[in-house]
Amino acid sequence: MEGRDKYSVLLPTYNEKENLPIIVWLLVKAFTESGYDFEIIVIDDGSPDGTLDVAKQLQTIYGDSKIVLRPREKKLGLGTAYIHGIKHATGNFVIIMDADLSHHPKFISKFIQKQKEGNYDLVSGTRYSGNGGVYGWDLKRKVISRGANYVTQVLLRPGASDLTGSFRLYKKQVLEKLVQSCKSKGYVFQMEMIIRARQFGFTIGEVPISFVDRVYGESKLGGNEIYQFAKGLIYLFATT
């Protein structure tokens, strides 16, 4: 069975030229060491910093069977990036993660092992159980994140401990169904994916991860994100 499984990593990027070579190297290293078949699909949304040029160089280094480039002309959002990426994925499993080094590829083999243990439909990395954690955040950000997660747990009872994380492994057909059923944007999108998964009766496994705040570039949590989160939470509460 293991010989037939292939893992497609979807990497949506926007202004990640410093981070992309590092994350790709770490991914290639992790998969090579674990022996699992893989491909990395880079979905760049017209980054003005030259991320796509860097991706092309990486493709030359690692080969076009391992680095697949599926750029788009402009920033069109995470949900559509996943839909776009899934269309080109040749794996039967899909891994979603951030390209900004906040998610370390070393956890992927644990995701795969967990998935095989229970034949889970999806496996989610969690910062909020076991020995998971967050590094590089100030107290305000930790409080907002924990608070948001707590309120979500109380209102929606999702059956998963980390709703807003974006480091996950899905069976490909499960991700296809979830992405098509989700209407939210931005920060709330990952949350809706888990809520809908529970609604559809999909099984969810969890792996504790350490999350490191972005190494290069600007972090994106501001007052507007908090407002969007609250709005999204009300929408999900009303539709579940």
Side-chain angles (χ1 to χ4, degrees):
M1 181 68 187
E2 268 186 25
R4 290 203 303 273
D5 286 333
K6 183 175 180 180
Y7 298 86
S8 300
V9 181
L10 300 189
L11 275 188
T13 58
Y14 189 77
N15 287 350
E16 299 288 0
K17 74 172 182 184
E18 287 104 341
N19 293 320
L20 192 62
I22 306 169
I23 194 72
V24 166
W25 180 78
L26 288 168
L27 279 165
V28 171
K29 181 172 181 284
F31 276 110
T32 304
E33 286 174 358
S34 63
Y36 296 112
D37 193 13
F38 74 99
E39 64 182 354
I40 301 165
I41 301 175
V42 180
I43 305 142
D44 186 64
D45 275 4
S47 297
D49 75 340
T51 298
L52 185 58
D53 293 331
V54 171
K56 286 174 182 171
Q57 290 175 325
L58 293 167
Q59 191 179 53
T60 303
I61 295 165
Y62 296 108
D64 57 11
S65 66
K66 293 300 178 200
I67 310 295
V68 180
L69 307 183
R70 292 291 176 261
R72 304 188 297 176
E73 283 183 15
K74 60 179 191 290
K75 213 170 180 184
L76 296 166
L78 205 51
T80 59
Y82 291 151
I83 291 169
H84 184 68
I86 292 166
K87 280 181 196 159
H88 303 285
T90 60
N92 54 330
F93 288 94
V94 176
I95 292 163
I96 62 165
M97 65 189 299
D98 294 342
D100 63 7
L101 301 178
S102 54
H103 299 142
H104 199 299
K106 69 182 179 185
F107 294 108
I108 288 174
S109 61
K110 291 179 182 175
F111 281 37
I112 294 171
Q113 286 161 16
K114 172 62 82 173
Q115 191 283 323
K116 289 180 184 301
E117 273 170 30
N119 192 25
Y120 291 107
D121 293 311
L122 72 107
V123 174
S124 180
T126 177
R127 299 162 288 183
Y128 302 125
S129 78
N131 56 356
V134 173
Y135 301 90
W137 278 7
D138 59 17
L139 183 61
K140 176 188 161 194
R141 211 156 154 191
K142 283 184 178 174
V143 168
I144 289 169
S145 180
R146 282 269 182 185
N149 207 57
Y150 175 73
V151 171
T152 309
Q153 295 290 344
V154 171
L155 287 180
L156 303 177
R157 297 184 297 283
S161 65
D162 190 345
L163 295 221
T164 54
S166 51
F167 193 1
R168 295 179 188 156
L169 164 68
Y170 292 88
K171 289 180 178 173
K172 184 176 166 183
Q173 72 272 24
V174 168
L175 182 59
E176 282 173 327
K177 185 168 183 181
L178 288 175
V179 167
Q180 282 158 7
S181 71
C182 288
K183 304 284 183 280
S184 305
K185 298 278 185 283
Y187 196 39
V188 184
F189 177 77
Q190 303 295 357
M191 201 163 79
E192 185 174 4
M193 295 268 278
I194 291 276
I195 302 300
R196 301 296 174 217
R198 189 202 61 179
Q199 277 189 318
F200 288 132
F202 292 135
T203 53
I204 304 170
E206 290 196 318
V207 170
I209 61 163
S210 49
F211 173 95
V212 181
D213 201 14
R214 33 182 318 126
V215 178
Y216 297 108
E218 289 297 310
S219 197
K220 302 177 182 87
L221 181 66
N224 185 49
E225 275 74 19
I226 296 161
Y227 167 72
Q228 294 298 337
F229 171 80
K231 202 168 82 170
L233 191 60
I234 293 162
Y235 159 71
L236 290 177
F237 185 59
T239 59
T240 55

Coordinates of all heavy atoms in Angstrom, one line a residue, residues 7 11 20 24 26 38 50 55 57 62 66 71 86 101 108 148 150 153 155 160-161 166 171 189 204 209 218 225 235:
Y7 N 2.0 11.9 -1.9 CA 1.6 13.0 -1.1 C 1.9 14.3 -1.9 O 3.1 14.6 -2.2 CB 2.3 13.0 0.3 CG 2.0 11.8 1.1 CD1 2.6 10.6 0.9 CD2 0.9 11.9 1.9 CE1 2.2 9.5 1.6 CE2 0.5 10.7 2.7 CZ 1.2 9.5 2.5 OH 0.8 8.4 3.2
L11 N 1.6 24.5 -1.8 CA 2.2 25.6 -1.2 C 1.8 26.9 -1.8 O 2.3 27.4 -2.8 CB 3.8 25.5 -1.3 CG 4.6 24.7 -0.4 CD1 6.1 25.0 -0.7 CD2 4.3 25.1 1.1
L20 N 10.9 30.4 0.4 CA 10.6 29.3 -0.5 C 11.8 28.3 -0.7 O 11.6 27.1 -0.5 CB 10.1 29.8 -1.9 CG 9.5 28.7 -2.8 CD1 8.3 28.1 -2.1 CD2 9.2 29.3 -4.1
V24 N 11.3 24.4 0.7 CA 11.4 23.3 -0.3 C 12.5 22.4 0.0 O 12.3 21.1 0.0 CB 11.6 23.9 -1.7 CG1 12.0 22.8 -2.7 CG2 10.3 24.6 -2.2
L26 N 13.7 21.7 3.0 CA 13.3 21.0 4.2 C 12.2 19.9 3.8 O 12.3 18.8 4.3 CB 12.7 21.9 5.2 CG 13.7 22.8 6.0 CD1 12.9 23.9 6.8 CD2 14.5 21.9 6.9
F38 N 6.3 11.9 -3.3 CA 5.8 13.3 -3.1 C 5.9 14.2 -4.3 O 6.7 13.9 -5.2 CB 6.5 14.0 -1.9 CG 7.9 14.4 -2.2 CD1 8.2 15.7 -2.5 CD2 9.0 13.5 -2.2 CE1 9.5 16.2 -2.8 CE2 10.3 13.9 -2.5 CZ 10.5 15.3 -2.8
G50 N 9.3 38.5 -6.9 CA 10.1 37.5 -7.7 C 10.1 36.1 -7.2 O 10.9 35.3 -7.5
A55 N 11.1 30.0 -7.6 CA 10.4 28.7 -7.8 C 10.9 28.0 -9.1 O 11.1 26.8 -9.1 CB 8.9 28.8 -7.8
Q57 N 13.8 28.4 -10.5 CA 15.2 27.9 -10.2 C 15.2 26.6 -9.4 O 15.9 25.7 -9.6 CB 16.0 29.0 -9.4 CG 16.3 30.2 -10.3 CD 17.0 31.3 -9.5 OE1 16.7 31.5 -8.3 NE2 17.9 32.0 -10.1
Y62 N 15.5 20.5 -8.6 CA 14.9 19.3 -8.1 C 14.1 18.5 -9.1 O 13.7 17.4 -8.9 CB 14.0 19.6 -6.9 CG 14.7 20.2 -5.7 CD1 14.6 21.5 -5.3 CD2 15.5 19.4 -4.9 CE1 15.2 22.0 -4.2 CE2 16.2 19.9 -3.8 CZ 16.0 21.2 -3.4 OH 16.7 21.7 -2.4
K66 N 9.0 16.8 -9.2 CA 8.9 17.1 -7.8 C 8.5 18.5 -7.5 O 7.8 18.7 -6.5 CB 10.3 16.9 -7.1 CG 10.8 15.4 -7.1 CD 9.8 14.5 -6.4 CE 10.3 13.1 -6.4 NZ 9.1 12.2 -6.1
P71 N 1.3 28.9 -11.3 CA 1.1 30.3 -10.8 C -0.3 30.8 -11.3 O -0.9 30.3 -12.3 CB 2.2 31.0 -11.5 CG 2.6 30.2 -12.7 CD 2.3 28.7 -12.3
I86 N -5.4 21.4 -6.3 CA -5.9 20.0 -6.3 C -6.1 19.5 -7.7 O -5.8 18.3 -8.0 CB -7.3 19.9 -5.5 CG1 -7.1 20.2 -4.0 CG2 -8.0 18.6 -5.7 CD1 -8.4 20.5 -3.3
L101 N 7.7 29.1 6.7 CA 8.5 28.5 7.7 C 7.9 28.4 9.1 O 8.5 28.0 10.0 CB 9.9 29.1 7.8 CG 10.8 29.1 6.5 CD1 12.1 29.7 6.8 CD2 11.0 27.7 6.0
I108 N 5.6 16.1 9.1 CA 4.8 15.4 8.1 C 4.8 13.9 8.2 O 3.7 13.3 8.1 CB 5.3 15.8 6.6 CG1 4.9 17.3 6.4 CG2 4.7 14.9 5.6 CD1 5.4 17.9 5.1
A148 N -9.7 33.0 20.7 CA -10.5 32.7 19.5 C -10.8 31.2 19.4 O -11.9 30.8 19.1 CB -9.8 33.1 18.2
Y150 N -10.9 29.1 22.0 CA -11.8 28.7 23.1 C -13.2 29.1 22.7 O -14.1 28.2 22.9 CB -11.4 29.5 24.4 CG -12.3 29.2 25.5 CD1 -12.3 28.0 26.2 CD2 -13.2 30.2 25.9 CE1 -13.2 27.7 27.2 CE2 -14.1 30.0 26.9 CZ -14.1 28.7 27.6 OH -15.0 28.5 28.6
Q153 N -14.5 26.6 20.2 CA -14.8 25.3 20.9 C -16.2 25.3 21.5 O -17.0 24.4 21.4 CB -13.7 25.0 21.9 CG -12.3 24.8 21.4 CD -12.2 23.5 20.5 OE1 -13.0 22.6 20.6 NE2 -11.2 23.4 19.7
L155 N -18.8 27.4 21.1 CA -19.9 27.7 20.2 C -20.2 26.5 19.2 O -21.3 26.2 18.9 CB -19.7 29.0 19.4 CG -19.9 30.3 20.2 CD1 -19.7 31.5 19.2 CD2 -21.3 30.4 20.8
A160 N -12.1 19.0 17.3 CA -10.7 19.1 17.1 C -10.2 20.3 17.9 O -10.9 21.2 18.2 CB -10.5 19.4 15.6
S161 N -8.9 20.2 18.3 CA -8.4 21.2 19.3 C -7.9 22.4 18.7 O -7.7 23.4 19.4 CB -7.4 20.5 20.2 OG -6.3 20.2 19.5
S166 N -3.2 25.8 9.8 CA -3.3 25.5 8.3 C -2.2 24.5 7.9 O -1.7 24.6 6.9 CB -3.2 26.8 7.5 OG -2.0 27.6 7.9
K171 N -7.1 13.2 2.8 CA -7.3 12.4 1.6 C -7.8 13.3 0.5 O -8.6 14.2 0.7 CB -8.4 11.3 1.9 CG -8.0 10.2 2.9 CD -9.1 9.2 3.1 CE -8.7 8.1 4.0 NZ -9.8 7.2 4.4
F189 N -11.3 30.5 6.9 CA -11.5 29.4 6.0 C -11.0 28.0 6.6 O -11.7 27.0 6.4 CB -10.6 29.7 4.7 CG -10.6 28.6 3.7 CD1 -11.7 28.4 2.9 CD2 -9.5 27.8 3.6 CE1 -11.7 27.4 1.9 CE2 -9.5 26.8 2.6 CZ -10.6 26.6 1.8
I204 N -11.2 12.8 12.0 CA -10.1 13.7 12.2 C -9.1 13.2 13.2 O -9.4 12.9 14.3 CB -10.7 15.1 12.7 CG1 -11.7 15.6 11.7 CG2 -9.5 16.1 12.9 CD1 -12.5 16.8 12.3
I209 N 2.0 20.0 17.1 CA 3.1 20.6 16.3 C 3.6 21.8 17.1 O 2.8 22.4 17.9 CB 2.6 21.0 14.9 CG1 1.5 22.0 15.0 CG2 2.3 19.8 14.0 CD1 1.2 22.8 13.7
E218 N 6.2 40.0 6.6 CA 5.3 40.6 7.6 C 4.2 39.5 8.0 O 3.7 38.8 7.2 CB 4.5 41.7 6.9 CG 5.4 43.0 6.7 CD 5.9 43.5 8.0 OE1 5.1 43.8 8.9 OE2 7.2 43.7 8.1
E225 N -8.4 41.3 10.7 CA -8.5 39.9 10.8 C -9.4 39.4 12.0 O -10.1 38.5 11.9 CB -7.1 39.2 11.0 CG -6.3 39.0 9.7 CD -5.8 40.3 9.1 OE1 -5.7 41.3 9.8 OE2 -5.5 40.3 7.9
Y235 N -21.2 33.4 11.3 CA -21.7 32.7 10.1 C -21.7 31.2 10.3 O -22.7 30.5 10.0 CB -20.9 33.1 8.9 CG -20.9 32.1 7.8 CD1 -22.1 32.0 7.0 CD2 -19.9 31.3 7.5 CE1 -22.2 31.1 6.0 CE2 -19.9 30.4 6.4 CZ -21.1 30.3 5.7 OH -21.2 29.4 4.6

